[in-house]
Amino acid sequence: MSTLTPREIVAELDKFVVGQEQAKRMVAVAVRNRWRRQHLPEELRDEVAPKNIIMMGPTGVGKTEIARRLAKLSGAPFIKVEATKFTEVGYVGRDVESMVRDLMEIGINLVREEENARVRAAAEAAAESRLLDLLLPNSFGGDRNDTREKLRQQFRLGFMDDREVEVEVTEQPAQGMDMFAIPGMEQMGNQVRDMFSKAFPPRRSRRKMKVREAYNVLIQEESGKLVDQEALVDKARERVEQMGIIFIDEIDAVGRQRGTGLGGGHDEREQTLNQLLVEMDGFESNDSVVLIAATNRADVLDPALLRPGRFDRQIVVDTPDVKGRQRILEVHSKDKPIGSDVDLAKIAKITPGFTGADLANLMNESALLTARRGKKIITMREVSESMERVIAGPERKGRVMNEKTKHTIAYHESGHALVGHLLDHADPVHKISIISRGRALGYTLSIPDEDKVLNSLSEMKDELAVFMGGRVAEEIFCDDITTGASNDLERASKMARAIVTQYGMSPLGTQVFGQPNHEVFLGRDYGNTQDYSEETARRIDEEVAKIMKEAHDRAHAILSSHADQMDLMASVLLERETVEGEACEALLDNKWDEYLAREDDIIAAKEAEEAAARAKDAELLAAQGEGDGASDTPGAPGAAPADPDAGETLADPNWRNEPVEPGDQDPNAPFRTPAEHADRADAPTQAEVNAEIDREDDMDSSADAPDPNKKD
């Protein structure tokens, strides 16, 4: 990679890491600077230090993968250090010496592999000659050269691989002193190992082994003879100095802000951080070892870590945008049997906020769900179901609820959906369900049309009203209110307080009150004092309560004026449990009767579309020589009914052995265990099963049946 430009480095990283263009570009420039530094005059080179990098972003966006692929691309010595290693033994953890020592070992192994590959041909020739000497001892009489050539040909053809020979090999030194190689005691461990290696030098012993195994052992020995070990170490040291990369993952585990402990700080964790800060300055300015760190808790990092000279370049690795999500989906669906009705661009559009790990999990869940249902092609139906699984969890159809609870949930979810549909700045509603999923008793799936970078006050107020829609529906249409709105109220309260204290969108003015938005950090938040008066605190509480009441009143006004529609929505949900697509749109637009009039046509058109997609998939596979060889044309007179899954490839050949979850059963698959509430009309009765068993027993005991005790 030393000859690659930043643009070329990014192009190579694109093969393995999708999206994150800015992050990859900044990392490439930082690494490229090391190559530029090597070509500076020596007196100027010492004044130019490499830039350390810290990547900040949510989990699952590819921070670790960027560092790993960068090291593989560059051929640089690379070591990954978990930050927790620093704290395994009190505050005495990994130091610069131990990290560089480990990096040096990796560099030596890397260079040794390259050198062994360079002398591979010569080593193979020498090993072959030694092996022939073992197979043909000096005491052999007759035409030695002719016999040796015959043995050489037999060996090269593999005819002698199973023959045993006795080879003199070097015994590996004992590793019993690794107990000293613990954090903070690496130097002692090295000294002890050196002492024992001098006291007990490696021994030579004779062992019997297969010819092929002996050949590989001899190649290693001959390679060691052909490679200059001192030059190898010097080359490895130079590579470590000029190209070494140390990657510290989850650095927030050791780099948390000092002075935030409950006792005022100066605990063991802070001592570890102090040690790390000092030792980061211990990297000499005349080497180019680059430190790359990653964290998803940038808000708790100590400012001393981020100053110039330590982690100079702060790179934000954020969640992918819609184009990035589509490319990631294309990567993870490449080796899966994807149906022609699966629109990856549409999936990318309805998955805002998904990370690369989430999208990989989505496609994996789709494949597993397809296999559990006994299908052979991943369709859009499985992808949609898997997306809801990733968001809210699997369906829990087995949860027992009485009619009153179902009635409350139906009105609760109808309240969320209707308020969200009638407000201009709320996210569109795609699905309403009263089926339990994860910890939710029911859910309303609202997905924004596009990625949001900023949220306006109007959007947040509409969202607050949507949050309150469930509780208001219980107040109006149910006998009592329940705890089902607890999560809604929690999210609404947090947003309302943020409007007042963080965003400056209240009559209190454009001022931030308290600490900026961050995850709770007990020591810091517990020790900080309130930076505003008690009067201001009272006014903040009043404004938050005012915003919450306004949202409540807006939701109340909407639902009260649409009582008939709410009754209809609740009744439909109690009957069907789930509405989505055109049914959901018709229900929200209060055009349910019109939808029912054409529902059969809609369902028939959808089934025809799915059947056409399955037929297209079968034709594509048949064109590739993977069809089932059927000659009948679907739909032709006298032809067998077309199998929409014919010619498809199983997503998982072991799907029959996978455990079956409630709701995963395909009603067209009688070989799978049906769900508790599945239609068992086609299943045979117990009497029919007993009759069939008796019939088979009679056949086995008849005169025509073979006698198991008879011997030929």
Side-chain angles (χ1 to χ4, degrees), residues 516-571:
N517 187 25
H518 54 247
E519 299 292 334
V520 176
F521 191 1
L522 179 60
R524 177 182 62 199
D525 298 338
Y526 180 82
N528 287 333
T529 58
Q530 188 171 283
D531 59 359
Y532 48 86
S533 66
E534 293 296 329
E535 175 63 21
T536 302
R538 184 186 62 80
R539 294 181 62 191
I540 290 174
D541 292 340
E542 290 177 352
E543 288 298 326
V544 172
K546 181 180 178 181
I547 293 174
M548 293 289 290
K549 187 177 185 306
E550 180 184 350
H552 179 277
D553 293 344
R554 292 182 70 192
H556 195 282
I558 293 173
L559 298 183
S560 298
S561 60
H562 294 79
D564 294 339
Q565 187 177 354
M566 283 288 295
D567 292 334
L568 174 62
M569 292 177 64
S571 63

Side-chain angles (χ1 to χ4, degrees), residues 76-358:
F78 175 86
I79 181 173
K80 178 182 177 183
V81 181
E82 293 81 7
T84 53
K85 297 291 186 182
F86 287 90
T87 57
E88 284 186 349
V89 186
Y91 70 89
V92 183
R94 298 292 299 269
D95 55 9
V96 170
E97 255 185 57
S98 66
M99 288 189 289
V100 174
R101 187 184 305 113
D102 293 344
L103 194 63
M104 186 64 188
E105 292 181 4
I106 294 172
I108 290 175
N109 293 332
L110 187 65
V111 175
R112 180 179 287 112
E113 291 178 0
E114 295 176 356
E115 292 296 313
N116 288 341
R118 182 179 62 82
V119 301
R120 178 77 180 185
E124 288 179 348
E128 186 182 70
S129 179
R130 288 180 57 186
L131 188 62
L132 293 176
D133 292 338
L134 295 174
L135 295 172
L136 192 68
N138 295 327
S139 59
F140 179 80
D143 192 349
R144 181 179 179 85
N145 292 333
D146 188 48
T147 304
R148 186 180 180 91
E149 288 302 317
K150 290 180 179 179
L151 290 175
R152 189 189 306 273
Q153 295 298 325
Q154 292 180 1
F155 168 71
R156 292 178 177 180
L157 294 173
F159 296 153
M160 306 185 67
D161 289 353
D162 294 333
R163 185 173 173 179
E164 287 189 348
V165 293
E166 192 175 20
V167 184
E168 186 178 6
V169 297
T170 303
E171 296 289 344
Q172 296 294 328
Q175 303 295 325
M177 295 299 109
D178 286 344
M179 66 181 70
F180 292 98
I182 58 177
M185 302 182 65
E186 292 91 347
Q187 187 174 1
M188 181 185 296
N190 290 334
Q191 293 174 351
V192 172
R193 282 193 294 271
D194 292 341
M195 180 183 66
F196 274 83
S197 63
K198 295 177 181 178
F200 305 99
R203 296 182 302 172
R204 304 278 295 179
S205 63
R206 303 189 68 84
R207 290 174 52 193
K208 286 187 176 181
M209 57 184 69
K210 302 290 186 179
V211 167
R212 182 57 57 179
E213 182 184 358
Y215 178 62
N216 294 329
V217 171
L218 294 175
I219 289 177
Q220 295 296 325
E221 289 191 1
E222 294 299 324
S223 297
K225 296 177 181 178
L226 296 173
V227 174
D228 188 347
Q229 298 300 321
E230 292 185 2
L232 184 149
V233 173
D234 293 339
K235 187 176 181 180
R237 183 182 296 108
E238 182 181 2
R239 182 170 298 188
V240 168
E241 291 178 353
Q242 302 299 330
M243 304 177 63
I245 298 176
I246 296 177
F247 178 65
I248 305 177
D249 200 8
E250 304 294 346
I251 195 171
D252 54 272
V254 68
R256 296 198 172 205
Q257 185 176 342
R258 292 168 293 180
T260 57
L262 295 179
H266 206 67
D267 55 8
E268 290 185 352
R269 179 190 56 78
E270 292 195 5
Q271 296 298 323
T272 305
L273 177 58
N274 291 335
Q275 179 193 12
L276 177 62
L277 294 174
V278 172
E279 291 178 342
M280 285 187 69
D281 294 331
F283 288 96
E284 298 294 335
S285 59
N286 60 356
D287 63 28
S288 293
V289 176
V290 170
L291 286 177
I292 302 178
T295 180
N296 57 358
R297 291 295 307 276
D299 60 300
V300 303
L301 292 180
D302 192 277
L305 272 175
L306 306 179
R307 75 156 174 81
R310 289 181 176 140
F311 287 108
D312 305 80
R313 297 188 181 268
Q314 301 170 28
I315 302 175
V316 177
V317 188
D318 212 343
T319 55
D321 57 12
V322 62
K323 294 182 179 179
R325 292 196 298 273
Q326 183 175 350
R327 292 178 58 193
I328 294 172
L329 287 169
E330 291 172 354
V331 170
H332 291 294
S333 61
K334 184 179 298 182
D335 298 326
K336 295 180 175 64
I338 303 296
S340 57
D341 62 334
V342 177
D343 188 352
L344 297 181
K346 181 180 179 181
I347 298 172
K349 187 177 180 180
I350 62 176
T351 52
F354 276 46
T355 65
D358 293 329

Side-chain angles (χ1 to χ4, degrees), residues 411-413 415-416 466-475 485 488:
Y411 274 102
H412 185 105
E413 299 302 333
H416 284 309
V466 174
F467 285 145
M468 303 301 293
R471 167 57 61 87
V472 172
E474 294 179 11
E475 295 175 1
D488 300 328

Side-chain angles (χ1 to χ4, degrees), residues 492-624:
S493 300
K494 185 177 180 181
M495 180 178 291
R497 186 165 292 275
I499 290 174
V500 178
T501 61
Q502 297 174 25
Y503 306 141
M505 297 177 175
S506 73
L508 294 182
T510 54
Q511 181 179 350
V512 175
F513 301 97
Q515 297 297 316
N517 187 25
H518 54 247
E519 299 292 334
V520 176
F521 191 1
L522 179 60
R524 177 182 62 199
D525 298 338
Y526 180 82
N528 287 333
T529 58
Q530 188 171 283
D531 59 359
Y532 48 86
S533 66
E534 293 296 329
E535 175 63 21
T536 302
R538 184 186 62 80
R539 294 181 62 191
I540 290 174
D541 292 340
E542 290 177 352
E543 288 298 326
V544 172
K546 181 180 178 181
I547 293 174
M548 293 289 290
K549 187 177 185 306
E550 180 184 350
H552 179 277
D553 293 344
R554 292 182 70 192
H556 195 282
I558 293 173
L559 298 183
S560 298
S561 60
H562 294 79
D564 294 339
Q565 187 177 354
M566 283 288 295
D567 292 334
L568 174 62
M569 292 177 64
S571 63
V572 172
L573 285 174
L574 289 172
E575 178 185 355
R576 303 195 175 196
E577 293 186 332
T578 299
V579 289
E580 59 183 328
E582 293 188 44
C584 184
E585 294 178 6
L587 197 60
L588 293 171
D589 292 333
N590 204 16
K591 299 179 180 179
W592 185 248
D593 292 337
E594 298 178 13
Y595 172 79
L596 290 179
R598 55 189 181 92
E599 184 179 26
D600 292 340
D601 295 335
I602 295 173
I603 295 175
K606 187 175 181 180
E607 291 178 349
E609 184 180 350
E610 292 179 352
R614 301 286 74 76
K616 182 179 179 181
D617 297 334
E619 291 175 2
L620 292 175
L621 291 176
Q624 298 173 1

Side-chain angles (χ1 to χ4, degrees), residues 621-697:
L621 291 176
Q624 298 173 1
E626 299 179 9
D628 57 359
S631 58
D632 293 333
T633 303
D643 181 6
D645 292 335
E648 298 174 352
T649 305
L650 281 176
D652 183 358
N654 300 317
W655 63 269
R656 294 176 186 267
N657 300 324
E658 291 286 335
V660 182
E661 297 182 7
D664 285 346
Q665 295 80 9
D666 188 345
N668 298 318
F671 41 75
R672 302 304 305 274
T673 305
E676 286 185 20
H677 306 293
D679 185 10
R680 302 172 183 262
D682 297 334
T685 63
Q686 187 62 42
E688 293 173 340
V689 174
N690 294 335
E692 181 67 16
I693 294 175
D694 293 337
R695 187 182 68 82
E696 294 178 356
D697 291 339

